[in-house]
Amino acid sequence: MKNLSRSVPALALAGLLSIALSLYAAPADSGVPAEGDYTIGPNYTNAPESNVRPEVPAGTIHAFTMQSKDSTIYPGLTGPYQREVWVYIPAQYKTGTKAPFIVAQDGGGYVRRLPVVLDNLIAEHRVPAMIAVMIDSGGGDGKGSERGLEYDTLSEKYAVFIENEVLPKIARDYHVAFTSDPEGRATMGGSSGGAAAFTMGWYRPDPYHRILTYSGTYVAQQSPDSPETPHGAWEYHEHLIPQSEVKPLRIWMQVGSNDLGAKRDEASYHNWVMANNRMAAVLKAKGYHYQYYYCEGAGHVDGKAMGQTLPEALEWLWQGYSAK
C-alpha cells in the first residue's frame, strides 16, 4: 500500500468540519486497511492490479445501447436520447448460477479500468467472481439534464430503473443470472454518479448493501427541487443519516483536497470536500461500516488517486461476502 498514513492528524481545513481519525486493527489474515479515515498523497502510484496480466483469465465485455423510447421510467426530459451500457462477465462465471454484481454509473469511464482490476482480483480470490454493469446516464450534466435527473434526485427511482429495466434485459440477452442477496449487490460511481450509488443503497437497502464513491456529489444539485429534501444530497450528512436508523450498508468513499468547490463556504452547499468530510463524520458517528480516503493534491474524480486506490477499495468493499 503506497502513501498510506496509519497515524493521521484530524483534517484541518478552514471552514470544514474536523474529522477525528480513528483506525482499527485489520484482521490478521488481511492486507486491506481496516475501516476508518485515511489520508494519502500527494503522489500516487498506479496499483499493480490495474495492469493486464497475460496469465490471468480475462472476462468478456458486451456492449449495447438503450433507447429512451423503451423506458417508462426515464422517457426523456427534453426529447429522445440513448444510453450506452457495457457488461463485464468474468471468465469464472458458470452459466445459470446467480452471480454477485456491481453497477457502475457513468459506465464508459470505467470500461478500460474496472474489468482489468476485477480480472486480477477475482483470479487472486480477493473478491468474488462478479458481473459488472457499467451504464451511462441519459446525457448532459447538472440541473435540468437527464443525468442530473437520474443521479442527483433523492428517491428510489433510479434504483427501480436499474432493477426493472436494465438487469432483466442483461439477464435475458447475455444468459446470466443476478443474485437477489443484497450482500452480493454493489453500486459505485464518481461525482453525481457516486451520489446516485449512495442513493440506490439509501432508498433501496433491500437490494443494495455495498457502495463505493469517488468525489461524491453530496451537495445541493437536485433538480427538480423537492420540499422533502430542499438541499438535495447535502441532506444526507445534514439531516438524513444523523436522524435515521442505521441501514445495513457498507460504504467506501474518497475525496480530493482540490475537489470541486474546495474554497467555497458552507452557505453555497457546493463544497465537495466539506460534503464528503461531513459524510464520513456522520457515518462514523452512527456506527456504519465505512472507509474514507482523503487524497492530498487530488482533484475531482482524480484518475491518479483512483488508479492507486480502486483495487483495495473493491477488496475492502466485498469483505465479509459469502455466496448464499
Side-chain angles (χ1 to χ4, degrees):
M1 178 92 183
K2 305 284 194 225
N3 299 322
L4 175 64
S5 173
R6 288 187 173 272
S7 178
V8 201
L11 299 177
L13 296 175
L16 303 185
L17 183 69
S18 175
I19 298 177
L21 302 177
S22 176
L23 307 181
Y24 305 91
D29 60 348
S30 171
V32 180
E35 57 189 62
D37 303 285
Y38 294 83
T39 295
I40 62 173
N43 300 313
Y44 299 93
T45 302
N46 219 30
E49 298 89 348
S50 299
N51 300 318
V52 174
R53 297 170 178 170
E55 72 277 11
V56 170
T60 56
I61 300 174
H62 305 276
F64 66 95
T65 302
M66 297 183 72
Q67 303 293 337
S68 58
K69 65 181 177 62
D70 298 323
S71 176
T72 61
I73 298 175
Y74 293 120
L77 275 175
T78 58
Y81 68 87
Q82 63 184 32
R83 74 176 79 239
E84 304 303 320
V85 186
W86 297 262
V87 181
Y88 162 86
I89 303 174
Q92 297 84 352
Y93 178 70
K94 296 180 180 179
T95 303
T97 60
K98 292 186 176 182
F101 65 94
I102 187 166
V103 179
Q105 279 59 244
D106 293 319
Y110 298 96
V111 173
R112 295 182 181 275
R113 188 190 300 269
L114 185 58
V116 173
V117 171
L118 288 177
D119 281 342
N120 290 323
L121 293 180
I122 292 168
E124 295 176 2
H125 306 288
R126 293 164 58 187
V127 299
M130 74 185 77
I131 294 169
V133 177
M134 296 165 282
I135 179 168
D136 276 349
S137 73
D141 191 24
K143 294 187 175 185
S145 70
E146 189 69 34
R147 181 175 183 267
L149 174 67
E150 296 167 11
Y151 288 0
D152 295 315
T153 298
L154 271 62
S155 77
E156 67 170 17
K157 189 174 181 179
Y158 182 73
V160 171
F161 165 70
I162 296 294
E163 207 68 21
N164 292 359
E165 297 190 0
V166 180
L167 297 183
K169 176 176 174 56
I170 293 171
R172 180 181 66 250
D173 292 353
Y174 300 108
H175 311 291
V176 296
F178 297 105
T179 183
S180 58
D181 175 13
E183 285 295 310
R185 290 162 155 247
T187 179
M188 67 174 287
S191 193
S192 289
F198 190 87
T199 295
M200 288 174 72
W202 183 262
Y203 283 91
R204 290 300 303 271
D206 48 325
Y208 294 100
H209 281 186
R210 302 177 189 271
I211 300 165
L212 188 156
T213 77
Y214 281 94
S215 299
T217 298
Y218 303 115
V219 303
Q221 196 82 345
Q222 182 169 240
S223 177
D225 294 332
S226 167
E228 290 80 18
T229 53
H231 296 154
W234 191 273
E235 297 281 350
Y236 281 130
H237 47 89
E238 187 177 33
H239 295 124
L240 295 176
I241 298 172
Q243 296 173 7
S244 300
E245 294 294 322
V246 174
K247 299 176 186 282
L249 305 176
R250 184 176 180 86
I251 304 144
W252 189 95
M253 298 171 49
Q254 177 272 350
V255 79
S257 65
N258 297 330
D259 222 300
L260 297 180
K263 295 183 180 180
R264 298 185 70 174
D265 63 16
E266 181 175 6
S268 71
Y269 298 108
H270 269 77
N271 184 319
W272 271 249
V273 183
M274 183 186 293
N276 279 269
N277 284 350
R278 291 183 174 183
M279 283 288 287
V282 297
L283 291 171
K284 179 179 180 179
K286 294 291 287 192
Y288 276 89
H289 295 292
Y290 82 99
Q291 194 177 75
Y292 178 50
Y293 275 67
Y294 177 84
C295 295
E296 294 280 4
H300 190 60
V301 195
D302 193 288
K304 292 180 180 179
M306 185 183 296
Q308 177 169 313
T309 59
L310 182 60
E312 279 194 351
L314 287 165
E315 187 174 3
W316 181 88
L317 190 70
W318 284 93
Q319 282 187 338
Y321 173 74
S322 59
K324 294 182 180 179

